[in-house]
Amino acid sequence: MQKENHFDELYDRMIKTAACRFAANDRLKDHHNVSLWTITFFSMGLVFIPLVDIFGLSSNFSTNYTSFIQVVLAIVILVISVLLNMAGFSVRAEKMHQCAMLVNNLARKVHRHINDRSNPEIYDELIREYDDVLQRFENHARIDYLYAKKHLSSHYKNPWYFPVTVRLKYFFQFTPYILLLGLEVSWLVLLAIK
């Protein structure tokens, strides 16, 4: 939406950008936490499987098959750990938060000048500062924009179904973790139930 006042337009853009970066911070933290919980549950499965043999509990599977599953669980833990390390969710979340805080700080500076329509030098300086902040950090993902758009209802006219759509899109990015955990739980249940 084009505004008459350049300062007002810049302020609006900064508020939206900060909201997107805060949403990215939350999303990346969620990925980090879900990844850690997935590793934890797979590690627990890796510990529980040998206990079946140690305590002489009956099992639906042969010893060779349970040994194979133990190796598969160890590989999954290794792969998820490597992916978690490569993705750097925690570090990226912190950087998104820093970016959002810097953009918020700039937005407060811009807000002071909204009624000052006649000073292009200050406007140009604020634009440069804003661009410098954005170039120092990675950009947010589309889902972060959609999540911010859902929360900034005073800035956007969203259809009634929009919040549900955004939540579903947000949820679907975690399906690999859910599928992996579902497979592990299913296998452990099959192992234990006679």
Side-chain angles (χ1 to χ4, degrees):
M1 156 173 54
Q2 192 75 19
K3 298 188 182 284
E4 290 179 25
N5 184 340
H6 292 303
F7 285 108
D8 201 22
E9 184 179 337
L10 181 59
Y11 177 74
D12 186 59
R13 195 175 342 147
M14 287 179 173
I15 292 299
K16 291 173 183 176
T17 301
C20 291
R21 300 302 163 96
F22 280 126
N25 171 54
D26 292 342
R27 177 181 56 84
L28 292 168
K29 279 183 181 177
D30 289 344
H31 267 291
H32 178 74
N33 290 333
V34 171
S35 297
L36 288 178
W37 278 106
T38 302
I39 290 171
T40 301
F41 282 115
F42 270 85
S43 300
M44 287 169 42
L46 202 53
V47 169
F48 288 143
I49 291 170
L51 294 178
V52 171
D53 290 334
I54 290 172
F55 289 110
L57 302 173
S58 61
S59 167
N60 289 331
F61 302 110
S62 68
T63 306
N64 287 342
Y65 187 74
T66 53
S67 296
F68 170 74
I69 293 299
Q70 281 182 280
V71 171
V72 169
L73 290 177
I75 290 170
V76 170
I77 291 169
L78 178 65
V79 168
I80 292 174
S81 298
V82 168
L83 290 175
L84 179 62
N85 191 36
M86 284 174 41
F89 292 127
S90 181
V91 172
R92 289 171 58 209
E94 180 59 33
K95 287 184 179 182
M96 284 291 181
H97 189 263
Q98 287 174 354
C99 181
M101 294 300 286
L102 288 170
V103 171
N104 261 351
N105 187 27
L106 276 172
R108 284 191 293 275
K109 284 183 184 179
V110 169
H111 192 265
R112 283 182 270 174
H113 296 285
I114 284 178
N115 294 326
D116 184 14
R117 298 171 190 265
S118 62
N119 202 329
E121 293 84 25
I122 293 175
Y123 177 78
D124 291 341
E125 180 186 324
L126 290 169
I127 283 282
R128 272 192 299 279
E129 282 185 62
Y130 179 54
D131 287 341
D132 287 344
V133 168
L134 293 184
Q135 288 181 16
R136 282 190 293 171
F137 299 94
E138 76 174 287
N139 201 3
H140 52 268
R142 175 144 177 83
I143 188 66
D144 304 320
Y145 165 72
L146 294 174
Y147 213 74
K149 188 175 175 183
K150 179 177 81 87
H151 287 290
L152 294 173
S153 56
S154 62
H155 293 264
Y156 296 99
K157 292 183 179 179
N158 299 322
W160 65 268
Y161 57 85
F162 187 75
V164 174
T165 305
V166 171
R167 285 220 180 263
L168 285 173
K169 286 181 181 182
Y170 191 82
F171 174 76
F172 282 128
Q173 65 184 323
F174 296 101
T175 52
Y177 303 111
I178 294 167
L179 291 174
L180 284 171
L181 290 171
L183 285 172
E184 181 191 18
V185 168
S186 300
W187 192 84
L188 288 173
V189 167
L190 288 174
L191 175 72
I193 292 178
K194 198 81 170 142

